[in-house]
Amino acid sequence: MPEGTLFQIGNLKFDSRLLSIYAAVAAVMILALILAQMYWKRRLTKWAESQHLQLVSFRGAWFFEGPSAWTRSRNQHVFRVVTRDRDGLTRYCWIVFGTFWGFTWGEPITQVEWSDADD
């Protein structure tokens, strides 16, 4: 192996400079994911509090789940949300942010679809 090369996979030679670039890119991507999770948790918590509910958990919807599945645009963000009311009743809903064309008038939550089944 040439001098300075730490290891090689096929024809690709890894040196310390290339590894530090990959590590920096990975750190930025992880930070972006953490910040996105914090952002959506804050928005969903504010919505739940406005409805006098407690946010228990949430997750992003897969392309085949929730309202407008398979026909959603990338401007729409859909979440499966679990809430708890004052009486301790657990409820499930789909929450849609945005519209197909990417704009909303006023409130950014465009749809809340309640279901009592844990999907």
Side-chain angles (χ1 to χ4, degrees), residues 4-116:
T5 301
L6 300 174
F7 61 93
Q8 181 174 345
I9 300 175
N11 291 331
L12 186 59
K13 297 176 175 92
F14 289 88
D15 60 4
S16 60
R17 183 180 60 86
L18 187 59
L19 285 178
S20 64
I21 290 171
Y22 284 147
V25 168
V28 167
M29 291 174 64
I30 290 170
L31 179 64
L33 289 172
I34 290 169
L35 290 174
Q37 183 77 3
M38 289 170 54
Y39 171 78
W40 287 113
K41 182 175 183 178
R42 181 171 178 256
R43 292 207 47 193
L44 290 167
T45 300
K46 286 176 69 174
W47 168 81
E49 288 172 354
S50 74
Q51 303 297 312
H52 306 291
L53 299 168
Q54 176 188 5
L55 179 69
V56 175
S57 66
F58 72 96
R59 66 173 178 81
W62 290 95
F63 65 92
F64 55 85
E65 292 182 308
S68 67
W70 301 96
T71 60
R72 248 190 320 268
S73 75
R74 66 176 136 166
N75 299 316
Q76 294 173 298
H77 302 281
V78 180
F79 296 94
R80 181 63 167 165
V81 178
V82 180
T83 62
R84 187 171 298 123
D85 65 9
R86 293 178 183 167
D87 299 327
L89 179 66
T90 300
R91 302 225 24 225
Y92 305 90
C93 66
W94 295 101
I95 295 184
V96 181
F97 288 86
T99 64
F100 187 85
W101 301 107
F103 56 85
T104 58
W105 303 106
E107 181 64 31
I109 294 177
T110 54
Q111 184 178 359
V112 177
E113 186 177 299
W114 292 96
S115 66
D116 291 325

